[in-house]
Amino acid sequence: MKQPVEYLNNDTTPCLKCENHAILIARTDYYCKDCFIRFVRGKQRKQMVSEQYRAKFGIQAEKYGIQKVLLAFSGGITSMVLLDILSDLLLEQQKTHKGVTGFNLIIVNIDEFEIFLLNKKIQDIIPNLIQKYNGISIEFKVLSLDSFINEESLYKISLNDEFKSFFKEYNQDITILDILNQTINKSSAEDLLNIIYKNLLLEVAYVENCQTIVLGHSMTRIANEIVALTVKGRGSEIHESIKDHTEIYKNHEIKIMYPLRDVLYAEIIEYGKLADLYQFTIESTIKKSKISKNLTIRDLISNYFTQLTETGYASTASTVVKTGEKLGKSKEKKLGNCKVCNEEIYKNPSTWLKTITVNEPASIETEEELEYNKLYKESTQEEELKLGNPLELCYGCIITLGGFKQTDSGLLWPLKSEEKQLNYIYENDEVEKQHILDEYTL
Amino acid sequence: MPEIIQKKLKVSALCELCHARKAVMKRPKNLMKLCKECFYNVFETEIHNTIVSNNLFSPGDKIAIGASGGKDSTVLASVLKTLNERYNYGLHLVLLSIDEGIVGYRDDSLATVKRNQKQYNMPLEIVSYKDLYNWSMDEIVSCAGIRSSCTYCGVLRRQALDRGAEKLGINHVVTGHNADDVAETVLMNILRGDINRLESSTRILTDSDNSPVKRSKPFKYTYQKEIVLYAHYKKLDYFSTECTYAPEAFRGTARELLKGLESIRPSCIMDIIYSGEHLSLAPKKKKQTVAYKNKKRIEQEINQDGSVKLDTKPKTNKCEKCGYLSSNKICKACVLLQGLELNRAKVSLDSNSAIDGAAKLSKTLEGLSF
């Protein structure tokens, strides 16, 4: 079956753009190494073509001020490729505009070393990256995942039989890893991590005065996200979360962009190989299970897309992305916002679930049945479990909450998300120097 | 029953709802351990809730149950009969079957429907493709090939159901489409980019302009696995072979995906339906076009007597060929049949049995072993 990117063997066909020999075919066109890299870079430039990201002078420079772009950097191949592309853009701007660039780049990594058992620490590869892109100044920050929780603001959230959610205060030392380990469903943990990442990135962007956050999502990944959101009952969020859009966070407008949205994952991998970026990437040492029961929703869907490519339905990813882009706000009436993920709620999820999932028993009829029922009541000695005050949650979060054992733990979560103290594990010298200068220079 | 009393049940073995009877099954929807009685209760009540909250029926309605003899429609007939009596819906229920003419599949399943007719004491009407279109599915497949069989069958069945219902003077057909089918359709529409159907894919009641008959799916929120369990415990008489013609390849992949997802999160079928109910298209951006100064005016025809000719072109919503309601000049069924007619064999052998059950033969061959 035809692959999205195919290498040529000793072929003398010329490259589409120059006279060199082509080395690969991508999207039916022949490319040499440099032109393929240029082709992928072009995709990013097309997305970030706005004046905002160009080198500006005079009135324009005044109008836009210093533009700061936050790159969400996991150390995986896609964010590595995006870093490479953006640094190339900055270098080119510097050269052509005598040192002036269109924006400052802040690279933020949320530390996943423990949670995904990574093979390298991000701090160890940063010096290499700084050396590789030494022509431009880049700020690197590694943020602790636990910045998301603040001991004072933790609450215990639980669900009752009627799918209604409640919260009560909970004061104990706990880490994100502890919280996620309490789930009995891997997909629930995945869903919560998504919420944490989004929130932390917005917080950093807000604190650092970044106007834009860029993410390395490829077209394949966005397609995956669309299907995953549908599967998680978060269909009403699709239109917002996969388009380039603006979030209002603490009264600040922050633009969220996916500059690689036109690039297939397979093309990113080839870019990574051709630009020799794999030496810097970080991977998880957890091996993905072969049994689908041990996978998460996202894993299953990415396997599905890979399998589709192999069976000749390779265009599905682009179809899905185009479909997702045509979606809009739900036509249902908005009821409020979810207290866990902050997304909008439309149809009342607990009423909806209650109507279609009845939890009432058939009547007890015989003597024997009555006796058993008595026995049960005696054995449990039901003490009225006080669940706390009612809490408004969206459907997706109710389902995620269902992945936690309700009786003893429930979900521990910070509800007052404003009180966040960002805890950086690492900041590069440049940044540290600036901090010292800011503090001590008169 | 002295033995049962002697062997006392442990409290942990009791049904998680009534805590009084022995749990015999795990409910596929939420993996709750239930006894038979509680399972029947939740299963039937959920369908009742769906019917009531969506106002599907009103007293005195005549309802046709699209009956194939398969598990979904058999359970549908049984449950509707039960609920109709229990909650006094006041419905008049009729079984409506379509005979597509697939030897080795439909003839056997129709026999089941005929038994159901007696078991449930309902009238039965059978409409056949052969009578309506002069083509049986076996003939269509032998002419057009097995790959497009579902396309033909789907279009023809829709019309056949409508015609059958009209013949009986009924304007509401209920079908056994279950939650798995609906979830699968939502996924399929996203994967195939079927924008036109995206918003309506989860609608429980379809009421289209080009059909006088409405359709509804009372099983919209009912898991397929629970339908199987219900049929099993109630010992319902159903026919359990899938259609012998190959299922659509791409739908097959979506079904596999859904099965995998269900194994890691049983609620995902509901979750997808909830998502599906919220999907809506963004308003189309109007393309700004340049208004030309010398734009041509719309021409107006003047009649000989000086009066203005009105646009008399009638808004035909009837097929020119068969007279059936259609949004196009010629309905989809007639278009398909026209194409088939061109390829029909001019000469055919007497009692050509190769056509009959073309798929059955391959199925039998598959089953052979050495």
Side-chain angles (χ1 to χ4, degrees), chain A residues 125-143:
Chain A
I125 64 156
I126 291 175
N128 303 340
L129 286 175
I130 291 176
Q131 204 183 355
K132 179 169 167 66
Y133 303 113
N134 64 2
I136 46 168
S137 79
I138 308 177
E139 274 186 44
F140 266 103
K141 287 172 189 295
V142 180
L143 185 67

Short mmCIF file of all heavy atoms in Angstrom, two decimals, chain A residues 125-143:
data_model
loop_
_atom_site.label_atom_id
_atom_site.label_comp_id
_atom_site.label_asym_id
_atom_site.label_seq_id
_atom_site.Cartn_x
_atom_site.Cartn_y
_atom_site.Cartn_z
N ILE A 125 19.07 17.72 27.83
CA ILE A 125 19.20 17.98 26.39
C ILE A 125 19.16 19.48 26.06
O ILE A 125 19.57 19.89 24.98
CB ILE A 125 18.13 17.24 25.55
CG1 ILE A 125 16.73 17.72 25.91
CG2 ILE A 125 18.25 15.74 25.66
CD1 ILE A 125 15.76 17.48 24.78
N ILE A 126 18.69 20.27 27.03
CA ILE A 126 18.57 21.71 26.73
C ILE A 126 19.92 22.35 26.32
O ILE A 126 19.97 23.05 25.31
CB ILE A 126 17.90 22.46 27.90
CG1 ILE A 126 16.43 22.03 27.97
CG2 ILE A 126 17.98 23.97 27.70
CD1 ILE A 126 15.67 22.60 29.14
N PRO A 127 21.02 22.06 27.04
CA PRO A 127 22.30 22.66 26.61
C PRO A 127 22.64 22.33 25.16
O PRO A 127 23.11 23.20 24.42
CB PRO A 127 23.32 22.03 27.56
CG PRO A 127 22.55 21.66 28.76
CD PRO A 127 21.18 21.31 28.29
N ASN A 128 22.35 21.10 24.75
CA ASN A 128 22.62 20.73 23.36
C ASN A 128 21.77 21.55 22.40
O ASN A 128 22.24 21.96 21.34
CB ASN A 128 22.33 19.25 23.12
CG ASN A 128 23.12 18.36 24.04
OD1 ASN A 128 24.13 18.81 24.60
ND2 ASN A 128 22.66 17.14 24.22
N LEU A 129 20.53 21.75 22.79
CA LEU A 129 19.63 22.52 21.93
C LEU A 129 20.09 23.97 21.84
O LEU A 129 20.09 24.57 20.77
CB LEU A 129 18.20 22.45 22.47
CG LEU A 129 17.47 21.13 22.26
CD1 LEU A 129 16.11 21.16 22.95
CD2 LEU A 129 17.28 20.85 20.78
N ILE A 130 20.51 24.52 23.00
CA ILE A 130 20.96 25.91 22.99
C ILE A 130 22.18 26.05 22.09
O ILE A 130 22.31 27.01 21.33
CB ILE A 130 21.27 26.37 24.43
CG1 ILE A 130 19.94 26.47 25.20
CG2 ILE A 130 21.98 27.72 24.44
CD1 ILE A 130 20.07 26.81 26.65
N GLN A 131 23.02 25.04 22.13
CA GLN A 131 24.21 25.06 21.28
C GLN A 131 23.81 24.98 19.81
O GLN A 131 24.33 25.69 18.96
CB GLN A 131 25.09 23.87 21.64
CG GLN A 131 26.52 24.10 21.27
CD GLN A 131 27.35 22.87 21.58
OE1 GLN A 131 26.85 21.90 22.16
NE2 GLN A 131 28.60 22.89 21.19
N LYS A 132 22.84 24.12 19.53
CA LYS A 132 22.42 23.94 18.14
C LYS A 132 21.82 25.23 17.58
O LYS A 132 22.07 25.59 16.44
CB LYS A 132 21.40 22.79 18.05
CG LYS A 132 20.89 22.53 16.63
CD LYS A 132 20.09 21.24 16.55
CE LYS A 132 19.30 21.11 15.26
NZ LYS A 132 20.11 20.98 14.05
N TYR A 133 21.02 25.91 18.39
CA TYR A 133 20.38 27.13 17.90
C TYR A 133 21.03 28.35 18.53
O TYR A 133 20.37 29.25 19.03
CB TYR A 133 18.89 27.09 18.22
CG TYR A 133 18.19 25.87 17.65
CD1 TYR A 133 17.66 24.88 18.47
CD2 TYR A 133 18.10 25.70 16.27
CE1 TYR A 133 17.05 23.75 17.94
CE2 TYR A 133 17.50 24.58 15.74
CZ TYR A 133 16.97 23.61 16.57
OH TYR A 133 16.38 22.50 16.04
N ASN A 134 22.37 28.38 18.51
CA ASN A 134 23.04 29.44 19.28
C ASN A 134 22.91 30.83 18.68
O ASN A 134 23.18 31.81 19.31
CB ASN A 134 24.50 29.07 19.56
CG ASN A 134 25.29 28.98 18.27
OD1 ASN A 134 24.75 29.22 17.19
ND2 ASN A 134 26.56 28.63 18.38
N GLY A 135 22.45 30.92 17.45
CA GLY A 135 22.31 32.23 16.83
C GLY A 135 21.17 33.05 17.41
O GLY A 135 21.15 34.27 17.33
N ILE A 136 20.22 32.40 18.03
CA ILE A 136 19.06 33.12 18.54
C ILE A 136 18.94 32.95 20.04
O ILE A 136 19.43 31.97 20.59
CB ILE A 136 17.75 32.61 17.88
CG1 ILE A 136 17.73 31.08 17.89
CG2 ILE A 136 17.59 33.16 16.49
CD1 ILE A 136 16.42 30.49 17.54
N SER A 137 18.27 33.90 20.69
CA SER A 137 18.12 33.74 22.14
C SER A 137 16.80 33.06 22.43
O SER A 137 15.74 33.50 21.97
CB SER A 137 18.21 35.09 22.83
OG SER A 137 17.00 35.78 22.71
N ILE A 138 16.88 31.97 23.14
CA ILE A 138 15.68 31.23 23.48
C ILE A 138 15.60 31.08 24.98
O ILE A 138 16.59 30.80 25.64
CB ILE A 138 15.71 29.81 22.86
CG1 ILE A 138 16.00 29.88 21.37
CG2 ILE A 138 14.39 29.10 23.12
CD1 ILE A 138 16.10 28.51 20.73
N GLU A 139 14.41 31.29 25.51
CA GLU A 139 14.21 31.03 26.94
C GLU A 139 13.67 29.63 27.09
O GLU A 139 12.71 29.25 26.43
CB GLU A 139 13.16 31.99 27.49
CG GLU A 139 13.68 33.32 27.92
CD GLU A 139 12.59 34.14 28.58
OE1 GLU A 139 11.84 33.58 29.40
OE2 GLU A 139 12.49 35.33 28.25
N PHE A 140 14.29 28.86 27.97
CA PHE A 140 13.80 27.52 28.25
C PHE A 140 13.27 27.47 29.67
O PHE A 140 13.93 27.96 30.60
CB PHE A 140 14.95 26.50 28.15
CG PHE A 140 15.06 25.86 26.81
CD1 PHE A 140 16.06 26.26 25.92
CD2 PHE A 140 14.20 24.86 26.43
CE1 PHE A 140 16.17 25.67 24.68
CE2 PHE A 140 14.32 24.26 25.20
CZ PHE A 140 15.29 24.67 24.31
N LYS A 141 12.10 26.87 29.85
CA LYS A 141 11.59 26.72 31.21
C LYS A 141 11.04 25.32 31.37
O LYS A 141 10.34 24.83 30.47
CB LYS A 141 10.44 27.70 31.47
CG LYS A 141 10.88 29.13 31.63
CD LYS A 141 9.68 30.02 31.68
CE LYS A 141 10.05 31.48 31.62
NZ LYS A 141 10.82 31.93 32.77
N VAL A 142 11.39 24.69 32.47
CA VAL A 142 10.80 23.38 32.76
C VAL A 142 9.92 23.55 33.99
O VAL A 142 10.39 24.01 35.04
CB VAL A 142 11.87 22.31 33.00
CG1 VAL A 142 11.21 20.97 33.30
CG2 VAL A 142 12.78 22.20 31.80
N LEU A 143 8.66 23.22 33.81
CA LEU A 143 7.68 23.49 34.86
C LEU A 143 7.29 22.20 35.56
O LEU A 143 7.06 21.19 34.91
CB LEU A 143 6.45 24.12 34.20
CG LEU A 143 5.34 24.60 35.10
CD1 LEU A 143 5.82 25.79 35.91
CD2 LEU A 143 4.15 25.01 34.25
#
